[in-house]
Amino acid sequence: MAWLRDIDKWFAEAVLPFAPTFRAYARKLTNDPADAEDLVQEAYAKVLGLPDWRRLEAPERFVLTIIRNLAFERFRRAKVVGIRQIGVLEMEALPDPAPDAHAVASAREELLRVLDAVDRLPEQCRRVVTLRKMEGLSPGQIAVRLGLSISTVEKHLAKGLMLLTKSLAASEGRRIGSRASTWRKPAIKTETR
């Protein structure tokens, strides 16, 4: 269908499959099938009017948020609102999925610690760990790229991950391996003849 715009195709693939969910959510908010359908259609119109619709990462969540906001707006303008609808709206608050400022700062700090620890790895371990964990290559692909055997790649990977674990634990003030040796010692000494 050549007459369909890109937004129409995107809408049919990314939004319309969730239509039953949208209608059920709107019915829960309004307790009226006709009002629910009006909310869903109004939400669709708002989505189709977005200039930057390609940037939506979770269009279904976006439409649900629009439906909820439209329901709030209608209830705000209404002269009489049922107590049930107010309770449903309060209980159905959609949490903001974006991390808070503390989580962002903490994640950045952790990322810098990891990158610093990777930079301190021996060169071959650093290359293997970077190719495996950051670029997602398989040990076989890494072996071909670096001209090593697969077992050598696996040894460098194991060594690199062990060094990373120790380095990150030390930066957090923990000690890795300090209790590992205690479980090997027998709890009771037995005499052998």
Side-chain angles (χ1 to χ4, degrees), residues 33-55:
D35 285 345
E37 188 61 32
D38 287 346
L39 282 178
V40 171
Q41 294 304 318
E42 197 173 337
Y44 288 168
K46 287 191 179 290
V47 170
L48 287 169
L50 287 174
D52 56 350
W53 53 272
R54 285 184 174 95
R55 296 179 61 204

Side-chain angles (χ1 to χ4, degrees), residues 177-188:
S178 61
R179 297 188 71 203
S181 61
T182 60
W183 68 270
R184 290 189 191 112
K185 296 177 184 173
I188 300 172

Side-chain angles (χ1 to χ4, degrees), residues 19-145:
T21 303
F22 301 148
R23 286 189 179 90
Y25 183 61
R27 270 194 308 275
K28 187 174 183 179
L29 294 175
T30 63
N31 204 23
D32 181 346
D35 285 345
E37 188 61 32
D38 287 346
L39 282 178
V40 171
Q41 294 304 318
E42 197 173 337
Y44 288 168
K46 287 191 179 290
V47 170
L48 287 169
L50 287 174
D52 56 350
W53 53 272
R54 285 184 174 95
R55 296 179 61 204
L56 290 178
E57 292 181 14
E60 69 280 0
R61 295 261 320 147
F62 186 73
V63 173
L64 288 171
T65 302
I66 291 174
I67 291 170
R68 183 173 185 278
N69 291 344
L70 289 170
F72 262 130
E73 187 62 29
R74 284 188 181 189
F75 291 141
R76 191 175 61 77
R77 282 189 263 135
K79 293 182 180 175
V80 177
V81 177
I83 194 78
R84 183 192 171 289
Q85 277 78 25
I86 293 171
V88 168
L89 279 173
E90 288 176 357
M91 289 174 47
E92 291 296 321
L94 298 172
D96 184 7
D100 62 2
H102 176 72
V104 170
S106 179
R108 283 185 183 146
E109 182 181 315
E110 185 176 351
L111 177 62
L112 290 174
R113 275 197 344 260
V114 170
L115 291 175
D116 184 49
V118 168
D119 285 343
R120 290 191 313 259
L121 288 174
E123 182 182 349
Q124 198 70 301
C125 288
R126 182 177 62 245
R127 290 170 63 193
V128 169
V129 167
T130 302
L131 290 172
R132 179 71 177 132
K133 296 299 180 183
M134 295 181 191
E135 294 186 28
L137 297 180
S138 69
Q141 292 169 321
I142 296 169
V144 169
R145 184 178 282 189

